[in-house]
């Protein structure tokens, strides 16, 4: 029988940390903390499968769930000595979602559940604090109204503000018990007018909340977040039902969040924030500015409000002990939520802490040095994609800084852009190609789209753990939070501060590493990679099996890739070399030539240009393999398109415009991606491959003479489907090689291979391998031709496919393991059957995608090739793939 409910508390637990699949991350770790004997309010977790069941069965709860929850509640009652719905010492519950991976702020929570017109009196008597009891009740109604009844927060906010104004109250804290009671009466009137009856029965409240939390798995915010993070929609969320503890029971109570190490820098120092006399979400909501946990942090931030260390030294000491115990147990930096109720510490959540890429590297390296983890663990736990953050530009320190405000350095990197105050505005501006800094008082999960569209985020309120900070760090976006000196004036659409008035559309810059907000555009510097980065990359290099090459054709890209540690060029797209300066017109003359002689004349002009390019590439990449691909795209791609361009080009190359137009029409193709391209061009016009092969071999001779190191070029033939195609092109290449060897008197070792980018080539790999000396998977075209989906047009319907669940991921970004992947495996196996040890690589965009790289490892590829800035990412991903593949075996 399915176990739908797991219990924890009182030093015991049914679950464990490694059961996040069923219990959700929060539930699994609450269980682990309980079992470790840490102070956790007791509770129960409804497994995520119940959520899946709920959606598959018309929003019905599975049989046996209700009975199991009732049984679990009885255990809670006996552990706490309280009664759910009881008229004295009532048990109140916190009901929270918790999926397998953390989705910060994406789903819903209901606190203080169990309050009604009777239990509120019991709570008042029990705590001896009527004001607190009524305040808790009104908070419960607000949350229940929002989460379960689907009412907007502003519906309650309006009444609250109106009531406060009527009573002359500025702050919520000034409201008395009677005044809260009056407010609740108004809330209930409003609910009745809206047609909602507020359930008094605590059990009815509980099931309403559980259903709403299941439903929240499918709300717009959660769906968007899952799409962004590739989280399958069928995982569902678990629900945690836990005894309430209160951080708002006066000045000996508090609530806070902390990281066991600094999530921004990685420094080994407890890092966190708390609020005295506050409940749960107050800290992250960014409504009050929180205080530092440690004295050290308080002094560093120049705050005059006391630290937790100072105001509650006992609870602080216990918290510190818990942190140390948990870090040693989980062997990672942790993110914790806690509450202190009248001096007693309670742990509400622990999870592996999100961190910046820089902090991730530092923490991993430090933990290896502390003997907590191995070098392989360190390599394994860095998210390769997060290295992107380290490659972000920073503001040139030599530049004059016109600082208009300083906030918290919430997420590193710097950005400049127009001030835009709304998420919709940010999305619209981005569509027009404008750069945006999204400026908000604070952000909420509704702002995800706007944040995605922005270059950086600036908020005037909220701390390092506010929504903006957490989400921006996750997205690798620069973010400055809580710039108290600035204020967003939405009415006038202005950002104002002392002596400052900026309008929407004005340009500002933010520096997410210093917290500075600056006027205007700033000059940016490319980042220097730290010592921690090098240590991790060094470990990754020792661990990984696959080589990492780069896709590059310009000297600057090749140099950048080499600096990042590229071990050769896996794809040099020669066509990119023809677009520069005067070459394009020579290229056009070649294409438009009506006789072979004329074509050869143009090719003779292109030869020295290509040769010079290759010499430079061979020199930069000396000592590493360089794969050069023959011209691939259809020729009409090089010809002008608009009338004006045609007139201009005709004048430049001395041709009549009408004649040029005729030639362009003659070259027109209905489906150029499947047209006259790749090896087909070289079969129609062998003089092109002959020129390119000559340029390559002559360059190899010249570079070898310059550097004293032999160059071994790998010549790659694109879009091959038939062995005979490759035979034909290879024969031309071999012939040129013989000539150049004879002319130069120097022997040249070279390989001729093919791209595997057509299903036929994959299926006939055993035959093609009789000729091909290496294969490189062109998975951009292989995906296009396997799916029969145009790589240039698929973006118009793929998002719909993903939204409707037809496919999980964009196959042009993450390799389609089942289809394209099977062709890759077939070609590898068949190719190596004919030619054991056949060298296999990948040079499609997937070569830089960590998920696809893992697949390449499993398929036995020798190397991946990716764009220069992805080289470190690919190296790390390749090392992780080696580690994980080894564990599987
Ligand atoms: C490919 O098709 O995957 C490839 C690398 O070639 P291109 O993107 O140039 O077509
Ligand atoms: Mg291709």
């Amino acid at each position: 029988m399915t176990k739908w409910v797991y219990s924890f508390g009182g030093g015991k637990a049914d679950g464990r940390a490694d059961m996040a699949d069923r219990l959700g991350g929060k539930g699994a770790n609450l269980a682990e903390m309980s079992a470790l004997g840490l102070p956790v309010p007791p509770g129960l977790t409804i497994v995520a499968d119940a959520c899946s069941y709920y959606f598959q069965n018309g929003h019905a709860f599975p049989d046996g769930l209700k009975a199991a929850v009732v049984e679990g509640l009885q255990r809670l009652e006996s552990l706490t000595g309280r009664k759910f719905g009881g008229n004295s010492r009532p048990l109140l519950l916190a009901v929270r979602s918790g999926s397998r991976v953390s989705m910060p702020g994406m789903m819903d929570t209901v606190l203080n559940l169990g309050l009604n017109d009777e239990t509120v009196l019991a709570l008042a008597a029990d705590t001896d604090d009527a004001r607190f009891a009524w305040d808790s009740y009104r908070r419960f109604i607000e949350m229940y109204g929002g989460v379960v009844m689907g009412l907007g927060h502003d519906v309650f906010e309006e009444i609250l503000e109106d009531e406060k104004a009527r009573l002359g109250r500025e702050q919520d804290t000034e409201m008395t018990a009677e005044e809260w009671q009056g407010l609740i009466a108004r809330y209930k009137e409003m609910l009745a007018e809206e047609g909602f009856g507020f359930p008094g029965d605590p059990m009815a409240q509980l099931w309403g909340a559980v259903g709403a939390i299941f439903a929240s798995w499918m709300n717009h915010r959660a769906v968007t977040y899952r799409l962004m993070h590739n989280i399958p929609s069928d995982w569902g969320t678990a629900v945690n039902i836990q005894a309430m503890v209160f951080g708002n029971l006066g000045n000996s109570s508090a609530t806070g969040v902390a990281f066991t190490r600094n999530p921004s820098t990685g420094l080994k120092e407890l890092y966190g924030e708390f609020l005295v006399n506050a409940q749960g979400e107050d800290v992250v909501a960014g409504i009050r500015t929180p205080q530092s946990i440690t004295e050290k942090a308080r002094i560093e931030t120049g705050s005059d409000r006391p630290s937790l260390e100072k105001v509650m030294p006992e609870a602080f000491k216990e918290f510190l002990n818990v942190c140390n115990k948990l870090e040693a147990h989980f062997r990672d930096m942790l993110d914790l939520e806690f509450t202190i109720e009248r001096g007693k510490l309670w742990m509400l959540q622990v999870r592996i802490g999100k961190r910046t890429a820089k902090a991730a590297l530092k923490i991993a390296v430090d933990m290896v040095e502390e003997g907590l983890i191995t070098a392989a663990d360190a390599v394994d736990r860095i998210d390769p994609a997060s290295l992107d953050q380290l490659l972000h530009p920073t503001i040139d320190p030599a530049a004059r800084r016109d600082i208009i405000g300083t906030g918290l350095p919430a997420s590193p990197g710097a950005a400049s852009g127009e001030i835009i105050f709304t998420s919709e505005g940010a999305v619209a501006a981005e569509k027009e190609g404008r750069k945006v800094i999204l400026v908000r008082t604070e952000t909420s999960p509704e702002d995800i789209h706007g944040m995605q569209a922005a270059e950086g985020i600036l908020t005037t309120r909220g701390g390092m753990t506010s929504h903006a900070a957490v989400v921006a760090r996750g997205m690798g976006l620069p973010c400055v939070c809580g710039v108290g000196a600035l204020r967003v004036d939405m009415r006038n659409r202005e950002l104002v501060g002392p002596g400052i008035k900026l309008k929407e559309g004005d340009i500002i810059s933010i520096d997410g590493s210093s917290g500075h907000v600056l006027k205007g555009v700033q000059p940016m510097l490319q980042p220097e990679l730290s010592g921690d980065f090098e240590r991790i990359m060094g470990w990754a290099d020792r661990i990984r099996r696959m080589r990492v090459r780069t896709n590059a054709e310009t000297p600057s890209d090749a140099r950048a890739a080499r600096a990042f540690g590229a071990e050769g060029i896996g794809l040099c797209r020669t066509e990119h070399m023809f677009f520069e300066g005067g070459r394009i017109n020579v290229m056009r003359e070649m294409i438009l030539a009506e006789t072979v002689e004329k074509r050869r004349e143009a090719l003779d002009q292109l030869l020295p240009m290509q040769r010079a390019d290759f010499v430079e590439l061979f020199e930069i990449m000396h000592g590493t393999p360089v794969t050069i691909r023959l011209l691939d795209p259809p020729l009409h791609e090089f010809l002008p398109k608009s009338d004006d361009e045609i007139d201009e080009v005709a004048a430049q190359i001395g041709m009549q415009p009408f004649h040029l137009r005729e030639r362009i029409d003659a070259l027109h193709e209905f489906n150029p991606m499947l047209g006259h391209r790749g090896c087909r061009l070289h079969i129609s016009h062998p003089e092109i491959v002959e020129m390119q092969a000559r340029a390559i071999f002559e360059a190899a001779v010249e570079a070898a003479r310059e550097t004293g190191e032999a160059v071994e070029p790998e010549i790659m033939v694109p879009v091959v489907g038939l062995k005979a195609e490759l035979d034909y092109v290879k024969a031309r290449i071999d012939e040129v090689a013989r000539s150049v060897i004879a002319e130069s008197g120097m022997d040249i070792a070279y390989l001729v291979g093919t791209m595997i980018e057509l299903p036929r080539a994959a299926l006939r790999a055993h035959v093609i391998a009789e000729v091909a000396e290496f294969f490189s998977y062109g998975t951009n075209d292989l995906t296009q031709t396997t799916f029969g989906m145009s790589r240039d047009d698929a973006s118009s319907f793929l998002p719909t496919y993903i939204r409707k669940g037809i496919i999980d991921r964009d196959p042009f970004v993450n390799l389609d393991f089942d289809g394209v992947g099977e062709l890759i495996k077939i070609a590898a196996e068949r190719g190596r059957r004919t030619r054991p040890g056949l060298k296999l690589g990948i040079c499609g965009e997937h070569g830089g995608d960590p998920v696809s790289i893992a697949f390449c490892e499993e398929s036995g590829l020798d190397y991946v090739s990716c764009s220069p800035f992805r080289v470190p990412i690919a190296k790390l991903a390749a090392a992780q793939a080696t580690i994980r593949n080894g564990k599987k075996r």
Side-chain angles (χ1 to χ4, degrees):
M1 212 181 77
T2 314
K3 183 169 165 66
W4 296 110
V5 174
Y6 285 67
S7 288
F8 57 87
K12 285 201 283 216
D14 300 344
R16 284 188 321 270
D18 61 3
M19 292 170 66
D21 293 6
R22 303 206 69 211
L23 304 182
K26 188 189 296 249
N29 285 347
L30 281 169
E32 189 83 6
M33 281 201 291
S34 266
L36 285 171
L38 297 177
V40 174
L44 29 128
T45 304
I46 300 178
V47 297
D49 306 343
C51 178
S52 311
Y53 180 99
Y54 180 82
F55 284 111
Q56 284 155 15
N57 292 277
H59 294 196
F61 296 120
D63 281 350
L65 176 64
K66 289 202 175 178
V69 167
V70 168
E71 201 181 299
L73 283 180
Q74 281 161 3
R75 189 169 170 270
L76 279 195
E77 289 177 339
S78 72
L79 276 170
T80 56
R82 296 175 173 277
K83 186 136 189 62
F84 189 46
N87 281 340
S88 73
R89 288 182 59 73
L91 172 65
L92 301 187
L93 300 174
V95 186
R96 296 186 173 93
S97 61
S99 65
R100 198 182 296 195
V101 292
S102 119
M103 297 170 51
M106 289 301 125
M107 289 188 297
D108 294 321
T109 292
V110 183
L111 301 179
N112 304 332
L113 189 137
L115 280 174
N116 57 27
D117 294 347
E118 282 92 48
T119 54
V120 68
L121 300 175
L123 181 66
D126 181 34
T127 54
D128 200 17
D129 191 341
R131 186 194 170 281
F132 157 78
W134 289 100
D135 181 20
S136 300
Y137 192 15
R138 68 94 191 175
R139 286 173 186 252
F140 170 50
I141 297 173
E142 288 165 9
M143 278 188 150
Y144 201 88
V147 173
V148 184
M149 297 167 166
L151 295 166
H153 185 65
D154 47 338
V155 179
F156 293 100
E157 187 76 22
E158 234 167 66
I159 301 177
L160 173 62
E161 289 307 320
D162 184 62
E163 196 67 7
K164 269 163 54 185
R166 196 179 64 80
L167 296 163
R169 303 291 189 216
E170 289 252 325
Q171 305 286 333
D172 291 2
T173 44
E174 295 163 24
M175 296 282 282
T176 64
E178 291 70 32
E179 287 165 357
W180 282 133
Q181 218 170 327
L183 178 79
I184 289 167
R186 284 194 59 186
Y187 278 177
K188 288 197 171 170
E189 269 169 38
M190 179 274 291
L191 288 174
E193 275 167 25
E194 296 287 327
F196 292 104
F198 190 77
D201 171 20
M203 263 312 175
Q205 293 174 355
L206 179 58
W207 289 107
V210 171
I213 285 179
F214 281 167
S216 73
W217 177 253
M218 286 296 176
N219 73 25
H220 183 64
R221 304 191 311 253
V223 171
T224 305
Y225 189 91
R226 285 202 295 275
L227 282 178
M228 269 168 60
H229 292 88
N230 267 333
I231 300 171
S233 61
D234 60 2
W235 281 0
T237 179
V239 179
N240 297 293
I241 301 170
Q242 204 173 5
M244 278 296 299
V245 287
F246 296 98
N248 55 341
L249 263 174
N251 287 338
S252 61
S253 301
T255 185
V257 294
F259 293 92
T260 55
R261 302 191 185 207
N262 187 313
S264 200
T265 62
L267 280 176
K268 190 174 182 197
E269 59 188 13
L270 181 61
Y271 189 90
E273 296 163 339
F274 79 106
L275 285 173
V276 174
N277 197 10
Q279 191 169 40
E281 320 311 285
D282 295 352
V283 183
V284 270
I287 292 163
R288 279 160 63 188
T289 300
Q291 295 156 244
S292 297
I293 289 194
T294 63
E295 257 312 271
K296 183 168 174 277
R298 183 195 67 76
I299 294 163
E300 276 169 13
T301 53
S303 166
D304 54 2
R305 277 157 327 133
S307 63
L308 184 71
E309 189 171 358
K310 202 83 181 181
V311 287
M312 299 183 194
E314 285 305 308
F316 171 78
K317 229 168 50 213
E318 191 187 354
F319 181 61
L320 208 57
N321 280 337
V322 168
C323 289
N324 290 336
K325 197 165 177 180
L326 282 172
E327 214 190 55
H329 181 74
F330 282 94
R331 302 186 311 132
D332 206 342
M333 186 273 265
L334 303 169
D335 168 351
L336 307 157
E337 283 179 27
F338 64 94
T339 279
I340 297 167
E341 181 182 293
R342 292 186 168 159
K344 162 105 183 89
L345 173 74
W346 291 101
M347 297 305 299
L348 299 188
Q349 169 154 309
V350 60
R351 59 185 171 197
I352 305 298
K354 286 201 188 299
R355 61 204 79 180
T356 63
K358 186 169 164 225
L361 295 175
K362 173 151 184 58
I363 291 167
V365 169
D366 284 354
M367 285 190 167
V368 172
E369 269 159 19
E370 289 161 30
L372 222 50
I373 59 174
T374 64
D377 291 334
V379 165
D380 200 27
R381 66 169 55 163
I382 309 284
D383 172 11
S386 76
L387 294 182
D388 247 354
Q389 283 181 40
L390 295 178
L391 314 172
H392 278 316
T394 48
I395 295 175
D396 182 351
R400 227 192 94 236
R401 290 194 166 213
D402 193 355
I403 298 173
I404 53 170
T406 302
L408 297 168
S411 180
S416 302
E418 286 178 43
I419 297 174
I420 300 284
F421 292 118
T422 62
S423 282
E424 303 74 65
V427 170
E430 192 228 20
K431 279 216 178 96
E432 290 172 24
R434 286 146 56 200
K435 294 197 183 318
V436 170
I437 304 290
L438 181 63
V439 178
R440 311 270 294 153
T441 304
E442 59 203 325
T443 63
S444 77
E446 260 86 38
D447 289 311
I448 287 287
H449 289 297
M451 295 176 78
Q452 236 174 343
E455 302 288 313
I457 314 293
L458 167 62
T459 68
T460 54
R461 234 166 31 193
M464 288 290 277
T465 48
S466 65
H467 178 268
V470 172
V471 174
R473 275 201 295 274
M475 290 161 94
L477 270 184
C479 175
V480 175
C481 271
V483 189
L486 298 177
R487 188 171 55 81
V488 175
D489 175 357
M490 274 310 270
R491 182 163 316 155
N492 296 307
R493 297 239 163 197
E494 283 170 353
L495 181 64
V496 289
I500 297 155
K501 192 175 273 190
L502 293 170
K503 291 229 160 288
E504 187 155 39
D506 287 350
I507 306 282
I508 54 166
S509 299
I510 58 167
D511 182 344
S513 308
S514 67
H516 291 160
V517 183
L518 309 107
K519 235 189 210 161
V521 179
Q522 295 291 318
M524 302 280 176
L525 283 188
Q526 291 309 315
E528 287 222 10
L529 301 169
S530 74
D532 296 325
F533 175 85
E534 270 163 21
R535 300 266 320 260
I536 294 275
M537 292 317 286
W539 291 329
D541 285 346
R542 283 215 301 275
I543 291 168
R544 78 191 145 83
R545 183 191 62 78
M546 285 191 297
R547 309 268 94 193
V548 175
R549 299 196 195 178
T550 190
N551 293 357
E553 42 277 333
T554 67
S556 73
D557 279 359
R559 276 193 203 97
R562 238 199 142 163
F564 283 131
E567 298 163 305
I569 288 183
L571 174 62
C572 165
R573 292 178 164 105
T574 51
E575 57 272 15
H576 290 185
M577 299 167 143
F578 293 120
F579 281 101
E580 273 170 41
R583 299 178 184 194
I584 183 73
N585 277 345
V586 185
M587 185 68 185
R588 285 169 176 154
E589 282 172 29
M590 188 277 284
I591 294 166
L592 297 167
E594 285 174 87
T595 62
V596 174
E597 290 67 39
K598 280 251 176 278
R599 175 161 296 118
R600 278 200 197 281
E601 265 172 41
L603 285 165
D604 284 346
Q605 287 185 64
L606 287 171
L607 173 70
M609 303 178 193
Q610 282 257 281
R611 185 172 55 220
D613 288 337
F614 295 141
V615 170
E616 200 170 357
L617 271 193
F618 289 145
E619 286 178 358
I620 295 167
M621 300 308 296
H622 69 92
T624 68
V626 176
T627 307
I628 296 170
R629 181 177 73 187
L630 301 179
L631 187 69
D632 181 2
L635 296 179
H636 54 79
E637 274 198 11
F638 297 91
L639 297 179
K641 297 195 175 52
S642 71
D643 284 347
D644 286 351
E645 284 169 347
I646 292 173
D647 290 345
E648 199 184 317
V649 169
Q652 282 167 359
I653 60 176
M655 205 172 179
Q656 290 296 333
F658 80 91
H659 192 190
L660 177 54
R661 226 169 247 115
E662 264 177 18
R663 291 288 292 141
I664 292 171
D665 287 346
L667 285 166
H668 170 78
E669 291 180 308
F670 286 102
N671 200 341
M673 271 295 180
L674 299 179
H676 196 189
R677 59 171 291 210
C679 65
R680 299 159 200 169
L681 286 175
H682 303 278
I683 292 168
S684 308
H685 309 298
E687 52 283 5
I688 302 178
V689 43
E690 284 162 13
M691 180 281 282
Q692 290 200 293
R694 178 165 282 277
I696 294 168
F697 293 129
E698 289 181 353
V701 170
E702 197 174 321
R705 289 200 173 122
E706 290 285 327
T707 63
E709 259 177 292
V711 176
E712 190 175 316
E714 299 178 354
I715 301 177
M716 183 151 76
V717 185
V719 200
V720 165
L722 303 154
K723 172 177 171 283
E725 289 173 326
L726 187 59
D727 282 333
Y728 181 89
V729 178
K730 183 170 185 297
R732 305 282 85 72
I733 295 170
D734 290 341
E735 205 176 290
V736 175
R738 281 193 292 277
S739 305
V740 176
I741 290 169
E743 288 156 21
S744 66
M746 188 190 268
D747 200 20
I748 309 168
Y750 66 96
L751 299 177
V752 176
T754 182
M755 297 194 69
I756 300 288
E757 48 189 346
L758 298 177
R760 192 179 196 285
L763 296 171
R764 302 294 293 165
H766 49 300
V767 180
I768 291 175
E770 289 169 14
V771 194
E773 294 166 301
F774 65 88
F775 285 172
S776 178
Y777 293 100
T779 44
N780 303 330
D781 274 309
L782 190 59
T783 301
Q784 160 168 272
T785 50
T786 301
F787 276 87
M789 275 180 191
S790 157
R791 62 197 259 191
D792 296 321
D793 301 314
S795 61
S796 68
F797 55 85
L798 277 181
T800 310
Y801 265 44
I802 293 173
R803 207 176 52 248
K804 297 199 168 175
I806 309 277
I807 52 171
D808 276 347
R809 301 181 299 197
D810 180 343
F812 290 100
V813 177
N814 306 118
L815 205 60
D816 158 49
F817 301 151
D818 300 340
V820 178
E822 181 155 4
L823 284 170
I824 288 177
K825 288 193 163 155
I826 287 172
E829 188 267 316
R830 294 186 184 174
R832 282 185 172 158
R833 211 192 300 152
T834 301
R835 195 185 280 268
L838 176 71
K839 187 151 53 166
L840 301 176
I842 179 172
C843 62
E845 287 310 301
H846 306 87
D849 166 52
V851 185
S852 311
I853 290 171
F855 182 87
C856 294
E857 170 71 31
E858 281 173 34
S859 309
L861 267 58
D862 297 298
Y863 69 87
V864 300
S865 188
C866 58
S867 59
F869 274 74
R870 298 197 74 83
V871 166
I873 296 171
K875 286 180 143 196
L876 189 57
Q880 294 181 349
T882 306
I883 294 169
R884 291 171 198 174
N885 215 27
K887 280 185 191 153
K888 255 192 242 166
R889 270 195 235 111

